[in-house]
Amino acid sequence: MNILLVEDDLRVSELIKRGLDEQGFNTTQAYDGLTGKKLILTQEFNLLITDIILPEINGLDLCKEVRNLKPDLPILMLTALGTTDDKIEGFDAGADDYLVKPFEMRELVARIKAILKRSLKNKSGIILRFSDLEMNLKTKIVKRNNKELNLTLKEFKLLEFLLQNQERVISRKEIAEKVWNTHFDTGTNFIDVYINYLRKKVDKEFDNKLIHTKSGMGFILKSEE
């Protein structure tokens, strides 16, 4: 698997590259966002790992540009910025996962393997359906009552997980681990924020609400009919 690592701290970049090489990954390094973008345009990668604070093009803008250039390329952000707002900004820019520094190498490797596994699965062309809601994992098109919904990448991932576990209550902890590949921090509410984002797009214009909250338990995708 070919990984592009965009990190301007040379010491950190070398440590990460060494750890990934030991795991059998082929890691290409870039030290600013502009070089990273040029490499993405000229070479094929299975994953982009990027810091946020970068010279030339910052990681958030790089992420947005990559989403336009290569929408299926998985992106993992590594950064010291770890508040709920920081994470939401990263996910809204198009990141698949977000790992806060400092971190252990084994956690980074676990996140990478999970992202790559999901990426391969999503290329299978499976169509997920529930009630009048339909998601095509290959084309990334989501429709409700034949009306196309405009979802961000992370909203898509969250809805995909709900569709894969329809009519089952899913805890915040499970969503954090399976969708965000992170441990749920009770001091943050980013999962509730994204559930609300999703509700506005999936349920707001329809009488039959599909995304429901189970107080003290989590969320469930079920029909009110």
Side-chain angles (χ1 to χ4, degrees):
M1 290 289 182
N2 297 316
I3 295 176
L4 174 61
L5 172 63
V6 187
E7 167 62 68
D8 64 328
D9 187 316
L10 301 186
R11 185 185 65 84
V12 173
S13 181
E14 286 300 325
L15 287 172
I16 293 174
K17 175 176 170 54
R18 190 180 310 135
L20 295 182
D21 287 349
E22 289 174 356
Q23 294 292 323
F25 295 108
N26 180 30
T27 309
T28 300
Q29 293 164 283
Y31 305 106
D32 64 79
L34 182 58
T35 302
K37 178 182 176 181
K38 290 178 179 177
L39 287 168
I40 288 168
L41 288 171
T42 57
Q43 298 183 34
E44 289 297 322
F45 296 100
N46 302 104
L47 174 68
L48 166 64
I49 301 176
T50 181
D51 195 359
I52 288 182
I53 302 174
L54 293 169
E56 303 294 341
I57 301 175
N58 68 52
L60 292 172
D61 288 339
L62 176 62
C63 192
K64 293 174 183 176
E65 293 193 37
V66 169
R67 277 289 157 257
N68 290 325
L69 296 168
K70 295 191 176 182
D72 293 329
L73 178 64
I75 302 173
L76 169 61
M77 282 190 169
L78 300 179
T79 178
L81 306 174
T83 69
T84 298
D85 287 342
D86 291 326
K87 293 178 180 178
I88 290 174
E89 189 175 17
F91 290 130
D92 283 348
D96 294 271
D97 201 357
Y98 192 111
L99 186 56
V100 179
K101 300 176 181 177
F103 54 85
E104 291 188 29
M105 194 65 205
R106 60 180 180 174
E107 181 177 4
L108 174 59
V109 171
R111 299 285 188 96
I112 289 171
K113 290 180 178 178
I115 291 173
L116 293 175
K117 182 179 180 181
R118 289 201 308 271
S119 177
L120 290 173
K121 180 180 178 181
N122 286 350
K123 293 178 180 179
S124 62
I126 297 173
I127 295 179
L128 302 177
R129 293 186 179 91
F130 182 76
S131 185
D132 57 353
L133 181 64
E134 179 181 291
M135 170 182 283
N136 188 309
L137 297 178
K138 183 176 182 180
T139 64
K140 301 295 189 294
I141 292 175
V142 179
K143 293 181 179 180
R144 176 107 197 247
N145 194 26
N146 290 320
K147 178 183 178 181
E148 188 168 338
L149 307 180
N150 183 23
L151 304 184
T152 66
L153 178 66
K154 193 50 67 174
E155 290 166 356
F156 184 94
K157 297 292 186 183
L158 178 56
L159 182 59
E160 177 186 355
F161 188 63
L162 291 173
L163 281 164
Q164 290 171 339
N165 294 274
Q166 51 192 256
E167 298 187 326
R168 180 175 78 84
V169 178
I170 309 170
S171 69
R172 291 170 177 82
K173 179 177 183 294
E174 187 175 359
I175 291 173
E177 291 175 350
K178 299 297 177 60
V179 180
W180 272 269
N181 290 299
T182 188
H183 296 294
F184 178 61
D185 181 356
T186 55
T188 65
N189 66 338
F190 70 91
I191 291 175
D192 293 77
V193 170
Y194 273 93
I195 286 289
N196 287 332
Y197 287 164
L198 205 52
R199 278 195 175 117
K200 289 177 182 178
K201 296 180 179 181
V202 173
D203 281 340
K204 186 176 181 180
E205 297 183 11
F206 301 91
D207 293 332
N208 179 26
K209 310 304 180 187
L210 300 181
I211 302 172
H212 303 271
T213 301
K214 290 292 184 179
S215 181
M217 300 172 66
F219 307 97
I220 183 171
L221 186 72
K222 70 184 186 73
S223 177
E224 285 186 337
E225 295 178 337

mmCIF file of all heavy atoms in Angstrom, residues 7 10 28 31 33 55 60 63 66 68 91 136 145 162 167 172 185:
data_model
loop_
_atom_site.group_PDB
_atom_site.id
_atom_site.type_symbol
_atom_site.label_atom_id
_atom_site.label_comp_id
_atom_site.label_asym_id
_atom_site.label_seq_id
_atom_site.Cartn_x
_atom_site.Cartn_y
_atom_site.Cartn_z
ATOM 1 N N GLU A 7 3.955 16.161 6.268
ATOM 2 C CA GLU A 7 4.293 16.587 7.631
ATOM 3 C C GLU A 7 5.537 17.466 7.560
ATOM 4 O O GLU A 7 6.569 17.056 7.035
ATOM 5 C CB GLU A 7 4.547 15.356 8.509
ATOM 6 C CG GLU A 7 5.190 15.624 9.857
ATOM 7 C CD GLU A 7 4.341 16.486 10.755
ATOM 8 O OE1 GLU A 7 3.272 16.016 11.197
ATOM 9 O OE2 GLU A 7 4.765 17.629 11.022
ATOM 10 N N LEU A 10 10.391 17.581 10.323
ATOM 11 C CA LEU A 10 11.236 16.537 9.736
ATOM 12 C C LEU A 10 11.416 15.359 10.687
ATOM 13 O O LEU A 10 11.403 14.200 10.254
ATOM 14 C CB LEU A 10 12.598 17.110 9.354
ATOM 15 C CG LEU A 10 12.590 18.276 8.351
ATOM 16 C CD1 LEU A 10 14.014 18.644 7.969
ATOM 17 C CD2 LEU A 10 11.779 17.935 7.118
ATOM 18 N N THR A 28 5.764 7.787 0.980
ATOM 19 C CA THR A 28 6.372 8.925 0.308
ATOM 20 C C THR A 28 6.174 10.160 1.180
ATOM 21 O O THR A 28 5.073 10.390 1.690
ATOM 22 C CB THR A 28 5.737 9.158 -1.071
ATOM 23 O OG1 THR A 28 5.919 7.992 -1.883
ATOM 24 C CG2 THR A 28 6.354 10.361 -1.768
ATOM 25 N N TYR A 31 6.841 17.814 2.635
ATOM 26 C CA TYR A 31 7.004 18.669 3.805
ATOM 27 C C TYR A 31 6.192 19.958 3.725
ATOM 28 O O TYR A 31 6.298 20.809 4.598
ATOM 29 C CB TYR A 31 8.492 18.977 4.006
ATOM 30 C CG TYR A 31 9.333 17.722 4.110
ATOM 31 C CD1 TYR A 31 10.155 17.318 3.059
ATOM 32 C CD2 TYR A 31 9.261 16.908 5.243
ATOM 33 C CE1 TYR A 31 10.901 16.154 3.141
ATOM 34 C CE2 TYR A 31 10.002 15.739 5.334
ATOM 35 C CZ TYR A 31 10.824 15.376 4.279
ATOM 36 O OH TYR A 31 11.549 14.209 4.360
ATOM 37 N N GLY A 33 2.136 21.525 1.890
ATOM 38 C CA GLY A 33 0.906 21.142 1.222
ATOM 39 C C GLY A 33 0.961 21.206 -0.289
ATOM 40 O O GLY A 33 0.343 20.392 -0.980
ATOM 41 N N PRO A 55 3.188 24.562 5.608
ATOM 42 C CA PRO A 55 3.544 25.664 4.705
ATOM 43 C C PRO A 55 2.817 25.533 3.369
ATOM 44 O O PRO A 55 2.356 24.459 3.008
ATOM 45 C CB PRO A 55 5.066 25.488 4.519
ATOM 46 C CG PRO A 55 5.511 24.553 5.591
ATOM 47 C CD PRO A 55 4.338 23.674 5.887
ATOM 48 N N LEU A 60 -6.135 21.531 5.922
ATOM 49 C CA LEU A 60 -7.577 21.596 5.662
ATOM 50 C C LEU A 60 -7.848 21.913 4.196
ATOM 51 O O LEU A 60 -8.691 21.280 3.560
ATOM 52 C CB LEU A 60 -8.229 22.651 6.560
ATOM 53 C CG LEU A 60 -8.249 22.336 8.060
ATOM 54 C CD1 LEU A 60 -8.753 23.547 8.835
ATOM 55 C CD2 LEU A 60 -9.116 21.122 8.358
ATOM 56 N N CYS A 63 -6.907 18.976 2.048
ATOM 57 C CA CYS A 63 -7.949 17.952 2.143
ATOM 58 C C CYS A 63 -9.116 18.286 1.204
ATOM 59 O O CYS A 63 -9.607 17.426 0.471
ATOM 60 C CB CYS A 63 -8.423 17.869 3.592
ATOM 61 S SG CYS A 63 -9.457 16.442 3.956
ATOM 62 N N VAL A 66 -8.055 17.734 -2.418
ATOM 63 C CA VAL A 66 -7.951 16.306 -2.730
ATOM 64 C C VAL A 66 -9.339 15.710 -2.928
ATOM 65 O O VAL A 66 -9.544 14.868 -3.811
ATOM 66 C CB VAL A 66 -7.198 15.559 -1.609
ATOM 67 C CG1 VAL A 66 -7.313 14.048 -1.781
ATOM 68 C CG2 VAL A 66 -5.726 15.968 -1.597
ATOM 69 N N ASN A 68 -11.826 17.095 -4.236
ATOM 70 C CA ASN A 68 -12.266 17.448 -5.594
ATOM 71 C C ASN A 68 -11.480 16.693 -6.652
ATOM 72 O O ASN A 68 -12.031 16.291 -7.678
ATOM 73 C CB ASN A 68 -12.118 18.954 -5.821
ATOM 74 C CG ASN A 68 -13.116 19.768 -5.021
ATOM 75 O OD1 ASN A 68 -14.246 19.342 -4.823
ATOM 76 N ND2 ASN A 68 -12.701 20.938 -4.556
ATOM 77 N N PHE A 91 -13.238 16.951 9.703
ATOM 78 C CA PHE A 91 -14.159 16.029 9.039
ATOM 79 C C PHE A 91 -14.941 16.736 7.934
ATOM 80 O O PHE A 91 -15.188 16.165 6.871
ATOM 81 C CB PHE A 91 -15.117 15.406 10.055
ATOM 82 C CG PHE A 91 -14.464 14.433 10.989
ATOM 83 C CD1 PHE A 91 -14.655 14.529 12.353
ATOM 84 C CD2 PHE A 91 -13.646 13.425 10.514
ATOM 85 C CE1 PHE A 91 -14.061 13.628 13.233
ATOM 86 C CE2 PHE A 91 -13.035 12.522 11.371
ATOM 87 C CZ PHE A 91 -13.246 12.627 12.738
ATOM 88 N N ASN A 136 -25.746 4.253 -2.550
ATOM 89 C CA ASN A 136 -24.868 3.503 -3.436
ATOM 90 C C ASN A 136 -23.428 3.747 -2.999
ATOM 91 O O ASN A 136 -22.927 4.869 -3.076
ATOM 92 C CB ASN A 136 -25.064 3.960 -4.888
ATOM 93 C CG ASN A 136 -24.325 3.074 -5.877
ATOM 94 O OD1 ASN A 136 -23.137 2.816 -5.722
ATOM 95 N ND2 ASN A 136 -25.035 2.602 -6.899
ATOM 96 N N ASN A 145 -36.642 8.954 -1.254
ATOM 97 C CA ASN A 145 -37.826 9.085 -2.100
ATOM 98 C C ASN A 145 -37.427 9.606 -3.486
ATOM 99 O O ASN A 145 -38.065 10.502 -4.043
ATOM 100 C CB ASN A 145 -38.854 10.023 -1.442
ATOM 101 C CG ASN A 145 -40.208 9.923 -2.106
ATOM 102 O OD1 ASN A 145 -40.569 8.894 -2.694
ATOM 103 N ND2 ASN A 145 -40.971 10.997 -2.039
ATOM 104 N N LEU A 162 -25.297 3.546 10.040
ATOM 105 C CA LEU A 162 -26.685 3.389 10.491
ATOM 106 C C LEU A 162 -27.436 2.412 9.585
ATOM 107 O O LEU A 162 -28.211 1.572 10.066
ATOM 108 C CB LEU A 162 -27.393 4.745 10.504
ATOM 109 C CG LEU A 162 -26.928 5.763 11.548
ATOM 110 C CD1 LEU A 162 -27.609 7.108 11.309
ATOM 111 C CD2 LEU A 162 -27.212 5.270 12.961
ATOM 112 N N GLU A 167 -32.488 -0.585 12.503
ATOM 113 C CA GLU A 167 -33.392 -1.109 13.537
ATOM 114 C C GLU A 167 -32.640 -1.704 14.731
ATOM 115 O O GLU A 167 -33.146 -2.582 15.418
ATOM 116 C CB GLU A 167 -34.374 -2.121 12.937
ATOM 117 C CG GLU A 167 -35.267 -1.489 11.865
ATOM 118 C CD GLU A 167 -36.362 -2.420 11.385
ATOM 119 O OE1 GLU A 167 -36.100 -3.643 11.333
ATOM 120 O OE2 GLU A 167 -37.457 -1.931 11.064
ATOM 121 N N ARG A 172 -23.160 5.861 21.346
ATOM 122 C CA ARG A 172 -22.170 6.848 20.908
ATOM 123 C C ARG A 172 -20.783 6.236 20.894
ATOM 124 O O ARG A 172 -19.963 6.544 20.028
ATOM 125 C CB ARG A 172 -22.218 8.073 21.813
ATOM 126 C CG ARG A 172 -23.497 8.904 21.647
ATOM 127 C CD ARG A 172 -23.614 9.975 22.720
ATOM 128 N NE ARG A 172 -24.792 10.809 22.517
ATOM 129 C CZ ARG A 172 -26.029 10.464 22.901
ATOM 130 N NH1 ARG A 172 -26.230 9.279 23.478
ATOM 131 N NH2 ARG A 172 -27.050 11.284 22.689
ATOM 132 N N ASP A 185 -15.174 10.331 23.818
ATOM 133 C CA ASP A 185 -14.876 11.243 24.919
ATOM 134 C C ASP A 185 -16.187 11.875 25.361
ATOM 135 O O ASP A 185 -16.801 12.641 24.621
ATOM 136 C CB ASP A 185 -13.881 12.309 24.448
ATOM 137 C CG ASP A 185 -13.496 13.287 25.551
ATOM 138 O OD1 ASP A 185 -14.062 13.177 26.659
ATOM 139 O OD2 ASP A 185 -12.634 14.147 25.307
#
